[in-house]
Amino acid sequence: MSRWQPGAEQRLAHAGLDLYVDQGYEDTTVAEIAERAGVTSRTFFRYFADKREVLFSGSVELQDEMVAALRRAPDDARPVEAVGAALDAAGRLIGSDRAHSARRHAVITAHHELRERELMKLSRLTDALTDGLVSRGVDPSGARLFAEAGAVVFRVGVERWVAGPPDAELTTVLEETLEHLCDLMGAPGTPSSSPG
Amino acid sequence: MSRWQPGAEQRLAHAGLDLYVDQGYEDTTVAEIAERAGVTSRTFFRYFADKREVLFSGSVELQDEMVAALRRAPDDARPVEAVGAALDAAGRLIGSDRAHSARRHAVITAHHELRERELMKLSRLTDALTDGLVSRGVDPSGARLFAEAGAVVFRVGVERWVAGPPDAELTTVLEETLEHLCDLMGAPGTPSSSPG
C-alpha cells in the first residue's frame, strides 16, 4: 500500500461522484458524502460550498495548468498553437482516468443545475484563457473570441473522448477536435455535406 | 397611438428589466413586476417560472428564427454560410433595440445566477443549431462543433455591439465577428500578435 493517502478534498470528490452514480445525485446528502470520505460534514464545507462543487474539485488546477501552458508557448507561436498547448496540458492532466471523466460527464449531463455550474466553470476558464492570450499580444477582442473557441474544443473534445473508443488518448482527441474546428471555420472551399 | 398593445408577457418582460435596472435585481419582487405591468402575480407565473425568466422571454423565438434561417439556406450553402444566415436572422430580430439589449446585458453580467441561466439558454440554442446543421447533411460531430462556434459568435458579437458605437448594425457586427473567428481559426500563416 502506498504511504501517500489522498487528502480530504480528493476523497470527498471521489466519494461524491461514487454516491451520485450509485444512488442518484438528488438522493445524496452532504452527510453521506462526508461519511463515505471518513470526515465530518463540517470538514466537507471547509472544502466545498455545496454538493454541486464536489464535481468540480479540479477546475482551479485545470485552469491554472492551461493558462501556464498558454504562457509557456514560444513567443513566435501563433494563437492557435498557444491554445493547442493549453488543450494539451488539459489532456495530460485529466486524460489518465477516462472512466472517472465518463461517470462525471454522465452525472452532469443528467442534471440541469450541474450543467449550469459546469457552464459557469467553463466561462471562468474562458476568461482566464482570454487574459493569457492578451498577455501574449493578441488583441483583447480576438483573444476573447479565440478563448471561447478553445473552450468549445475542450468541452466537445472531452465529450468525444468519453463517448469514443476506450484506448483513445485525450490529448490526441483534443488536438483532432481543434483541427476539425479549424477546418470547419477556415476552409472556404469545403462543401456543405462532410464525409461523416 | 397604435391599436396593437403588447401582451402581458412582453409588458412583464419590460417591467422586469426596468425594475432590475432602477432598483436592482435582488431588491425586485415578482409582485412589483406584476404591478408595474398591470397584472396579478398569478398572471406572472402563467408566463414565467421565476423572476430570472423575465430576462429571457424572447429566447424561444430567437432560437426558432435562427433554426428556420439555417433550414432556409440554399442546399449548396456551406455550413459557415448557413450559420451566417442564422446569425443574420438573430441580428434582424434583436438588432432594433440596442438600448434594451445593453441594459439587459448589464443586469445579466452583474449576477451569477443570471449568467448561469443565460449560458443554459445558449446551450439549448446550440443544441437546436446542431440539429439544424445535421438536417442539412453535416455530420453530427462536426455539426455540434460548428453550432458551438456559432453560439460563441452570437454571444461575443452581441457583447461587441452593445459596447460599440450606437449606430452599428447588429447584423453587421455579427457578420464581422464570424469572419474574425474564421480568420483566427483558419489562417495558418497569421503571426501571433494581431494589429489591434
Side-chain angles (χ1 to χ4, degrees):
Chain A
M1 199 181 143
S2 158
R3 257 181 61 204
W4 182 78
Q5 291 286 322
E9 182 178 356
Q10 202 174 339
R11 286 208 310 280
L12 284 163
H14 277 99
L17 181 57
D18 285 347
L19 288 167
Y20 295 163
V21 170
D22 292 348
Q23 64 186 42
Y25 170 72
E26 294 88 350
D27 295 335
T28 299
T29 64
V30 164
E32 287 173 313
I33 299 169
E35 191 191 340
R36 182 178 288 215
V39 302
T40 62
S41 292
R42 196 175 151 184
T43 300
F44 177 98
F45 288 113
R46 226 188 294 150
Y47 291 99
F48 301 108
D50 56 41
K51 80 178 193 180
R52 290 207 270 184
E53 282 295 315
V54 298
L55 291 169
F56 303 97
S57 67
S59 60
V60 170
E61 191 188 356
L62 175 69
Q63 182 174 310
D64 290 349
E65 286 285 317
M66 289 180 79
V67 171
L70 197 69
R71 290 175 186 272
R72 269 198 315 268
D75 285 348
D76 60 351
R78 291 174 295 122
V80 71
E81 288 165 345
V83 167
L87 291 167
D88 191 62
R92 278 182 281 111
L93 185 67
I94 62 178
S96 60
D97 195 348
R98 182 171 165 279
H100 175 91
S101 288
R103 285 164 12 120
R104 180 178 173 278
H105 183 257
V107 171
I108 289 174
T109 304
H111 295 89
H112 183 92
E113 65 180 277
L114 294 172
R115 290 209 306 276
E116 279 191 341
R117 185 68 60 99
E118 168 129 293
L119 290 169
M120 278 304 287
K121 297 284 179 185
L122 279 165
S123 172
R124 245 171 253 148
L125 174 63
T126 305
D127 291 345
L129 293 176
T130 302
D131 293 346
L133 284 166
V134 168
S135 78
R136 293 186 60 81
V138 180
D139 74 291
S141 175
R144 173 75 204 285
L145 204 50
F146 211 70
E148 294 271 3
V152 163
V153 168
F154 174 71
R155 184 161 74 249
V156 175
V158 170
E159 280 177 18
R160 289 181 177 183
W161 177 58
V162 299
D167 58 342
E169 296 280 345
L170 177 56
T171 49
T172 309
V173 177
L174 288 170
E175 198 182 329
E176 288 167 354
T177 306
L178 179 60
E179 275 169 25
H180 192 176
L181 184 59
C182 286
D183 287 346
L184 284 170
M185 300 299 294
T190 316
S192 172
S193 46
S194 71
Chain B
M1 201 180 139
S2 157
R3 258 180 60 203
W4 182 78
Q5 291 284 325
E9 182 178 357
Q10 202 174 340
R11 287 208 309 280
L12 283 163
H14 277 99
L17 181 57
D18 285 347
L19 287 166
Y20 295 163
V21 170
D22 292 348
Q23 66 187 40
Y25 171 71
E26 293 88 350
D27 295 335
T28 299
T29 64
V30 164
E32 287 172 312
I33 298 169
E35 191 190 340
R36 182 177 288 214
V39 301
T40 62
S41 292
R42 200 176 147 185
T43 299
F44 177 98
F45 288 114
R46 228 187 292 149
Y47 291 98
F48 301 109
D50 56 40
K51 79 178 194 180
R52 290 205 269 184
E53 282 294 316
V54 299
L55 291 169
F56 303 97
S57 69
S59 61
V60 170
E61 191 189 354
L62 175 69
Q63 183 174 309
D64 290 348
E65 286 283 319
M66 290 180 78
V67 171
L70 198 68
R71 289 174 186 271
R72 268 197 315 268
D75 285 348
D76 60 349
R78 291 175 292 121
V80 69
E81 289 165 344
V83 167
L87 291 168
D88 191 64
R92 279 182 282 112
L93 186 67
I94 62 177
S96 60
D97 195 348
R98 182 171 165 277
H100 176 90
S101 288
R103 286 169 4 126
R104 180 179 172 278
H105 184 257
V107 171
I108 289 174
T109 305
H111 295 89
H112 182 91
E113 65 180 274
L114 293 173
R115 289 208 306 276
E116 279 192 340
R117 185 67 61 99
E118 169 130 293
L119 290 169
M120 277 304 286
K121 297 284 178 186
L122 279 165
S123 172
R124 245 171 255 148
L125 174 64
T126 305
D127 291 345
L129 293 176
T130 302
D131 293 345
L133 284 165
V134 168
S135 78
R136 293 186 60 81
V138 180
D139 73 292
S141 175
R144 173 76 204 284
L145 204 50
F146 212 70
E148 293 272 3
V152 163
V153 169
F154 174 71
R155 185 162 73 248
V156 175
V158 170
E159 281 177 18
R160 289 180 177 182
W161 177 57
V162 299
D167 57 343
E169 296 281 346
L170 176 56
T171 50
T172 309
V173 177
L174 288 171
E175 198 182 328
E176 287 167 355
T177 305
L178 179 60
E179 275 171 24
H180 192 176
L181 184 59
C182 286
D183 287 348
L184 285 169
M185 299 300 292
T190 316
S192 173
S193 47
S194 70

